[in-house]
Amino acid sequence: MNLLCRCIVPSILASLGIMAIPATARAQVTSAEPNHHFGDTPSRADAASLQIKATQAQARIHANKDDRDQMMIAIKTNEVPLAKQVLLRNGFTAEDLENAKITLRTGGGKGGEDEIEISATCCDPKEITIQRSLEYFTK
């Protein structure tokens, strides 16, 4: 009888187009709230694209003394509009910077080698962090 219930009955029901659902199957809960994991969530490609632009802009700024000096001033004086101008000249678009939270950080101190690091995260909120770091070398 046990074999009949486990094997034959489900196969008969399946052949009739009726599906037997085990009693241990979990119910799927639905709600009126939208699922934020689909549709309006930015893709990983968008985040990767923004980070690639940040890395490329960092290299361009490092190679251009005038842009590097302006970015250092922007960071030191916390002038986000000046930093935006430098970013726009070095690969970012106005759309990339629209509604982006731009954070300027300084490593502080004197001596060593000035470096600018640009990182970006996407989205909601889109954030671009520009950090001036100083590496200290000991003799």
Side-chain angles (χ1 to χ4, degrees):
M1 180 70 183
N2 197 12
L3 178 65
L4 179 68
C5 290
R6 284 191 182 167
C7 298
I8 298 173
V9 172
S11 66
I12 293 170
L13 291 174
S15 67
L16 295 174
I18 303 170
M19 206 169 149
I21 301 172
T24 58
R26 295 179 184 227
Q28 182 177 358
V29 178
T30 60
S31 69
E33 294 180 24
N35 188 342
H36 295 290
H37 296 291
F38 300 103
D40 49 335
T41 301
S43 70
R44 290 179 191 230
D46 293 338
S49 173
L50 194 63
Q51 182 55 50
I52 288 170
K53 285 184 181 185
T55 303
Q56 291 171 346
Q58 178 179 321
R60 288 183 186 129
I61 292 167
H62 182 72
N64 183 319
K65 183 181 179 341
D66 291 336
D67 283 343
R68 186 175 61 241
D69 290 346
Q70 283 192 332
M71 188 60 82
M72 292 292 188
I73 291 168
I75 294 168
K76 187 173 185 178
T77 59
N78 202 25
E79 285 187 58
V80 172
L82 179 57
K84 280 185 178 181
Q85 289 175 8
V86 176
L87 291 174
L88 286 169
R89 285 195 305 267
N90 288 281
F92 278 89
T93 65
E95 186 179 329
D96 293 331
L97 301 179
E98 186 179 2
N99 298 322
K101 176 185 175 191
I102 297 178
T103 305
L104 304 175
R105 294 185 181 156
T106 181
K110 291 187 178 183
E113 184 179 327
D114 272 337
E115 288 294 326
I116 294 174
E117 296 173 18
I118 302 174
S119 62
T121 58
C122 182
C123 295
D124 296 326
K126 188 184 325 181
E127 294 184 34
I128 299 171
T129 302
I130 306 167
Q131 182 167 342
R132 176 182 171 199
S133 62
L134 295 174
E135 295 181 16
Y136 294 99
F137 298 103
T138 56
K139 293 183 181 182

